Amino acid sequence: MNISEKTLKLLWGKSGGKCAFPGCELDLFSEDGSVIGEICHIIARKKSGARGKEQIEEDKMNCEENLILLCRNHHKNVDDFPDIYTVEVLRQYKKQHEENIRMKLNRGKPWNVNFSQIYYMNIARIGMFAAQQGLFIPNEIENNKCLHSLGWELNNIMYKIKKLIEALEINTGELAGDFDKLKVGQFVTINGNFYTKNVPSASDVCANKYHATGDLKNDAHLHRKYGLVKCILTLNPRWIATTTAFVGFKSGRLEVAGFGLITSMDEKKVIITPYVLGVPKCEFNWMNLI
């Protein structure tokens, strides 16, 4: 499937990394960073394929407008029943899903960069969100390679990410205990002290020895309580940047600032996927001058 990198980023960004089938919205990134989503052609490449009898110019076959992001089950479903899931139906699914994602991300108030030095940056998620605003970052990190293993090149990537984030229009809610005002799928500002748990060593991450289990009793995360509600920031150690950051994340307690996306919540627990975390800003911090 010959799809340009820019088209892929735009598709994933506008879809919010979730299945576009109504009522599904399965997160198509696993906790270990693996991609579990599938790209479906609205009009098939071959006339014998699902919805392939429709007419479309060859150079538009792999354009973003003819692609929809689905989970594996719904991809098979829409291709097995093309008379039900017609071109018009899938285009409506795509349009409505992307509008829902846009509405969710626009809740809250504008977010200002509240960290001075980056400790953690989920490049896959940041790139996906940036694509929604027409901004792109070069794909400079090989699959399954961790940030810490990049050496001096990491400085260049951290600088680009910081500048990209400063250019983004990010609306966030406040993570301050008033959870009645927050919703799943909303960005929140992160700022405060958190306990650290299950963070592996840098050497284990670089050697690809750490694997998420899906169980927070074993997986790396940060946590704290706001009243009776426990707030959990799930971590993929692949995105921890420096040796100093690893020391901080393994210290037992760490003050961090940044932003993340609420992925689930109930009356006892809120789970957030951090996009970027770092050292909180201070008026005496020289990094604020950059």
Side-chain angles (χ1 to χ4, degrees):
M1 191 181 297
N2 187 22
I3 302 174
S4 71
E5 182 178 344
K6 183 175 181 179
T7 295
L8 287 173
K9 288 181 177 179
L10 191 60
L11 175 66
W12 278 85
K14 291 171 69 175
S15 298
K18 294 180 178 294
C19 177
F21 195 90
C24 181
E25 290 201 355
L26 179 69
D27 196 339
L28 301 180
F29 279 109
S30 66
E31 285 300 323
D32 64 1
S34 300
V35 175
I36 57 176
E38 296 186 355
I39 297 170
C40 174
H41 282 85
I42 294 176
I43 298 176
R45 289 171 292 173
K46 297 180 180 180
K47 288 187 178 181
S48 59
R51 299 165 298 279
K53 295 179 181 179
E54 298 282 344
Q55 296 296 314
I56 188 173
E57 296 176 20
E58 183 65 29
D59 61 347
K60 294 183 178 180
M61 185 60 66
N62 288 334
C63 69
E64 188 270 331
E65 291 80 5
N66 192 45
L67 303 173
I68 184 171
L69 196 62
L70 300 170
C71 66
R72 181 174 299 177
N73 289 341
H74 285 125
H75 186 177
K76 186 175 188 310
N77 199 27
V78 301
D79 281 356
D80 283 350
F81 301 99
D83 292 337
I84 297 175
Y85 303 107
T86 63
V87 171
E88 291 74 20
V89 167
L90 291 190
R91 283 175 176 166
Q92 184 58 37
Y93 285 177
K94 176 182 173 71
K95 180 181 178 181
Q96 188 60 57
H97 174 71
E98 292 175 356
E99 177 64 16
N100 290 342
I101 293 297
R102 188 187 68 80
M103 292 289 290
K104 285 181 179 180
L105 297 183
N106 281 338
R107 294 192 182 111
K109 56 186 179 181
W111 182 78
N112 295 317
V113 176
N114 62 345
F115 57 84
S116 57
Q117 186 174 357
I118 298 176
Y119 271 7
Y120 180 94
M121 49 184 176
N122 190 326
I123 290 180
R125 298 278 184 167
I126 295 170
M128 183 176 65
F129 175 61
Q132 292 180 309
Q133 301 186 25
L135 301 173
F136 302 96
I137 54 176
N139 186 14
E140 303 177 16
I141 302 176
E142 298 176 12
N143 291 337
N144 298 321
K145 200 166 187 179
C146 67
L147 294 179
H148 188 265
S149 68
L150 298 180
W152 284 103
E153 180 58 23
L154 178 60
N155 294 320
N156 182 42
I157 294 175
M158 291 174 71
Y159 178 79
K160 288 180 180 179
I161 293 296
K162 188 169 186 291
K163 290 300 181 183
L164 174 66
I165 291 171
E166 290 172 348
L168 290 174
E169 295 180 4
I170 309 173
N171 294 315
T172 67
E174 290 294 330
L175 187 62
D178 192 1
F179 294 107
D180 289 339
K181 296 181 179 179
L182 302 178
K183 305 290 183 182
V184 173
Q186 181 180 359
F187 279 126
V188 288
T189 295
I190 299 166
N191 207 333
N193 285 294
F194 286 79
Y195 294 101
T196 71
K197 190 171 182 180
N198 300 330
V199 178
S201 66
S203 59
D204 282 347
V205 175
C206 291
N208 201 28
K209 292 182 179 179
Y210 173 86
H211 301 284
T213 65
D215 185 349
L216 286 171
K217 293 181 180 179
N218 304 310
D219 291 347
H221 65 275
L222 306 181
H223 65 93
R224 64 167 292 176
K225 277 196 170 184
Y226 292 91
L228 298 177
V229 180
K230 188 172 186 180
C231 179
I232 298 171
L233 311 182
T234 58
L235 298 176
N236 181 346
R238 176 190 176 195
W239 304 124
I240 298 176
T242 63
T243 299
T244 301
F246 268 100
V247 171
F249 279 118
K250 287 180 65 64
S251 65
R253 190 170 182 176
L254 181 66
E255 185 176 5
V256 293
F259 73 94
L261 187 74
I262 298 177
T263 55
S264 75
M265 63 186 303
D266 55 36
E267 65 276 5
K268 295 182 179 180
K269 183 169 60 180
V270 175
I271 297 180
I272 297 170
T273 296
Y275 277 45
V276 62
L277 297 171
V279 178
K281 275 189 174 181
C282 168
E283 61 178 314
F284 302 111
N285 194 319
W286 69 271
M287 287 292 290
N288 293 337
L289 302 177
I290 297 178

